[in-house]
Every structure is written in C-alpha cells, then in structure tokens.
Amino acid sequence: MLSSTMEKALNEQIREEYYSSYLYLAMSAYFESLDLRGMARWMRTQAQEEHGHAMKFFDYVFERGGTVVLAAIDAPQVTWASPAAAFAAALSHERHITGCIHRLVEAAAAEHDHGTVNFLQWFVKEQVEEEATAEPIARRLEKIGDNMVGLLFTDRELGSRGA
Ligand code: OFO
C-alpha cells in the first residue's frame, strides 16, 4: 500500500509526464509549421513515449492499491525562436524531469518504500537516455543556426526515428 504522500507524488508525476507529452506535441506542431517534417515526426514519437511514461505511473499507482487523480495539464508554449531553441527547451525540460524522478526516489527511500524505489529505477535509467539523446541534437542545431542545408540534413536524419 502506498503512503498518501507517495500516492500524491506519483499522481503529480503522471501530470508531469502528460505535460511532457503535450509539450512535445506542441513542438511537433511547431516543426510541422516550418515544414520540418522529420523533426515534427521525432517530436510526435517523443510525445507518444511520454504518454507511455504517464501510463507506467498510472498502472503502478493501481498496482499498489492507490488512487489515480488526474490533474489539469497546463497549455504548453506554441512557438519557439528557432529549431535550436525548441530542442534546447526539450533538453532543459528533460533535465527538469530528471530532477522530478530523483526527488521521487529520495522520497520513496525516506519512507523505506523499496517497491517504489525499485519501480523508479526504470525512470532513472530512462532519464539518462533521454538527456543523452536530446543533448547532441540541441548542440548540433545550435551550431547549424539558420543554415538551411544543415537544417534539412538534420531534419531528414531525425525523421528516420521509428514511431
Ligand atoms: Fe522525457 O521522460 Fe518522461 O517525461
């Protein structure tokens, strides 16, 4: 059985994951508006993954006899100054999520809730991957700036990400 503190914290993480999904969907729409379809696809896939993260928390709360309480999701930003700015924002968002996951691990450990500490290990690893994936793309786009050849080449490469 989850403590009420842990139940609340896990519900809050469901909201964070849905916000992540919403944010990446907004970024996908932004890239569509620039006709950068590969980046739009990359972000759409990312949004789907975030939905999956939210559902892992959703299922876990039930598995531990808790109650899921869905909270309102804030509207994400709709446009960014450049593709580089959008990916930099995505990286910064992932760092924020890493912080959320680490705080959850610390809260679960403080309660000796070993089941939740163990459940969260998947997310600890996932966040290492999420940051490692976003970081080089953000760095590359920063160097490319508004060079169309570089943008189109990167767009094509990112479009090959599987859905
Ligand atoms: Fe992007 O890892 Fe979940 O939020």
Side-chain angles (χ1 to χ4, degrees):
M1 186 79 184
L2 289 172
S3 72
S4 62
T5 309
M6 220 48 240
E7 181 186 89
K8 203 167 157 213
L10 293 169
N11 269 301
E12 170 56 17
Q13 194 59 30
I14 294 175
R15 190 196 61 74
E16 286 279 2
E17 299 296 341
Y18 270 113
Y19 178 76
S20 303
S21 183
Y22 228 31
L23 175 65
Y24 294 135
L25 201 55
M27 288 178 177
S28 179
Y30 163 71
F31 285 121
E32 286 285 355
S33 77
L34 297 179
D35 289 324
L36 291 168
R37 300 261 152 76
M39 294 187 200
R41 181 183 157 96
W42 193 95
M43 284 295 177
R44 181 188 287 236
T45 303
Q46 189 67 21
Q48 285 163 350
E49 277 195 19
E50 298 299 353
H51 170 77
H53 293 173
M55 293 310 293
K56 274 185 193 286
F57 280 100
F58 182 97
D59 290 338
Y60 181 72
V61 170
F62 281 120
E63 197 180 344
R64 294 291 308 280
T67 304
V68 166
V69 181
L70 296 177
I73 306 165
D74 288 342
Q77 197 173 322
V78 295
T79 191
W80 285 265
S82 63
F87 269 92
L91 175 59
S92 139
H93 182 70
E94 285 307 327
R95 287 177 175 153
H96 161 73
I97 294 295
T98 299
C100 294
I101 298 294
H102 290 179
R103 281 189 292 279
L104 279 173
V105 173
E106 284 152 21
E111 288 191 6
H112 308 292
D113 181 349
H114 299 291
T116 301
V117 170
N118 184 54
F119 163 74
L120 290 167
Q121 294 314 301
W122 185 91
F123 286 94
V124 171
K125 186 166 175 278
E126 175 70 7
Q127 283 314 116
V128 171
E129 284 170 21
E130 293 274 58
E131 289 191 30
T133 304
E135 208 165 342
I137 303 172
R139 241 189 348 252
R140 192 207 287 190
L141 286 174
E142 179 67 37
K143 281 184 201 136
I144 287 172
D146 53 12
N147 177 305
M148 251 351 251
V149 176
L151 277 176
L152 291 174
F153 181 83
T154 305
D155 186 60
R156 194 168 166 180
E157 193 181 317
L158 294 184
S160 65
R161 179 183 186 176

